[in-house]
Amino acid sequence: KYIEPLVKPSELTDKFLVFGDNETESLLNKIQAKQNFALDARKEVAQGIVAPQDFLNGAGEKELNFTIPKGTGIFVVTEKERKEIKATKNENQLFKPYYTTEQLSKFYGNNENSSWVIYTTSDFKNPSRIADYPNIKKHLDQFTDIITSDNKPYGLHRSRDEKFFVGEKIISLRKCAEPTFTFTDFDCYVSQTFFVIKTERINQKYLTAFLNSKLVAFWLKHKGKMQGNLYQVDKEPILGIPIFDTTKKEPIIKLVDQFLTLNKELQTITLADKKEQLQNRISFTEDKINQIIYDLYDLTTEERKMIEGK
């Protein structure tokens, strides 16, 4: 297939140069043309926490002469390790609920965390700041020789603005087989494995549905960043998604509520046939969301088939 290129350098500054066929480019341009909302790069999108080390790795174990076993929590600890620290009431305020892909999936997040992050900001670079937290200090002092944070010995490498981890927000997984955006309305602290989207300018349940749609997956596959068959949903691809904000959000928001309820119920089901019924209802709900998103973008039957690989 021979492609006639039309390259406009002014439109490609700080963007990817993508090679695609005319039909695909035509559909991408149609999607782009519907955009009427953009996320603010500074105020509404942030990467998760960067710890100097969350758990002790093999190199660290060797550096410490094997006195502490590999896998021991440093800035991220299990509930058992948290109890062993014997934190005071004051110290417990530094422990924040920490979540991973075990709890965060497409649309739904389980609020039952199994780990905690010791959330110390850059001001803990001053050693005197830890004085009010003697048990946490004792814990972190075990790892002084291997903590390489800019804010060592007691501060996280990058703690981020705490507003991104509380209240309603969307957690976006960076590397995934399919775009995975999780709506959460509970305190949820995450690592740099994720990005966090938090905005008051658009309904976040609607935005979660939109970002999880097949239309956005198609967009990110062609206009985002891929590593083989994996999506790499970094900040730039998130900001580049052409979001369409509609006044007709309510049907989608109701479907998202239904999706979240079904997924919560799924966590408690053990019977295989009942679980299969719920999963079918979840798939049906997700398909309805996709169809509404297609309608918002005025896609033809053929364009919908292109997006779905049919």
Side-chain angles (χ1 to χ4, degrees), residues 40 145 148 155 168-169 171 180 187 209 261 274 279 294 307:
D40 188 297
D145 292 341
T148 57
E168 284 195 2
K169 62 210 157 298
I171 310 295
T180 302
D187 289 358
T261 300
K274 178 67 173 175
Q279 287 170 334
Y294 293 154
I307 286 174

Side-chain angles (χ1 to χ4, degrees), residues 142-243:
Q142 301 175 89
F143 308 101
T144 301
D145 292 341
I146 62 166
I147 292 177
T148 57
S149 167
D150 282 353
N151 302 307
K152 65 181 181 181
Y154 304 116
L156 288 166
H157 185 61
R158 297 285 184 272
S159 58
R160 310 303 183 192
D161 188 337
E162 197 167 5
K163 75 172 186 180
F164 283 100
F165 306 121
V166 298
E168 284 195 2
K169 62 210 157 298
I170 301 168
I171 310 295
S172 169
L173 183 60
R174 282 188 67 231
K175 292 187 180 181
C176 44
E178 63 174 346
T180 302
F181 296 87
T182 312
F183 173 82
T184 64
D185 56 3
F186 49 87
D187 289 358
C188 180
Y189 291 70
V190 293
S191 73
Q192 70 268 34
T193 303
F194 302 90
F195 278 88
V196 184
I197 301 167
K198 188 177 178 73
T199 176
E200 295 178 355
R201 297 186 298 127
I202 187 172
N203 183 281
Q204 294 193 121
K205 286 182 179 178
Y206 166 77
L207 185 57
T208 302
F210 171 76
L211 293 172
N212 277 320
S213 69
K214 288 184 177 179
L215 182 143
V216 168
F218 178 81
W219 174 271
L220 288 173
K221 183 176 182 180
H222 294 281
K223 290 286 192 177
K225 191 187 296 185
M226 301 291 292
Q227 286 194 341
N229 291 324
L230 291 178
Y231 292 83
Q232 185 165 328
V233 189
D234 291 325
K235 188 171 186 176
E236 292 77 14
I238 290 173
L239 294 171
I241 296 170
I243 301 168

Side-chain angles (χ1 to χ4, degrees), residues 84-121:
E84 289 172 350
I85 291 173
K86 298 179 180 178
T88 63
K89 184 178 180 179
N90 182 48
E91 288 179 307
N92 275 324
Q93 295 178 17
L94 287 185
F95 288 97
K96 306 295 183 179
Y98 188 78
Y99 293 85
T100 68
T101 52
E102 289 185 9
Q103 296 88 26
L104 303 176
S105 55
K106 193 172 182 180
F107 281 96
Y108 176 75
N110 185 341
N111 64 357
E112 295 181 6
N113 62 299
S114 57
S115 300
W116 302 86
V117 60
I118 300 173
Y119 189 78
T120 49
T121 53

Side-chain angles (χ1 to χ4, degrees), residues 1 12 28 64 66 94 101 220 227:
K1 182 178 288 189
L12 289 168
L28 292 169
L64 297 175
F66 302 97
L94 287 185
T101 52
L220 288 173
Q227 286 194 341

Side-chain angles (χ1 to χ4, degrees), residues 248-282:
K248 302 175 182 178
K249 298 184 184 72
E250 205 55 40
I252 291 179
I253 293 170
K254 287 181 178 178
L255 286 170
V256 172
D257 284 332
Q258 183 179 333
F259 196 101
L260 297 175
T261 300
L262 289 170
N263 271 277
K264 189 171 184 178
E265 188 179 346
L266 189 63
Q267 310 305 310
T268 64
I269 298 300
T270 55
L271 295 175
D273 55 344
K274 178 67 173 175
K275 184 170 282 192
E276 185 178 357
Q277 289 175 18
L278 277 173
Q279 287 170 334
N280 288 337
R281 289 175 65 190
I282 288 168

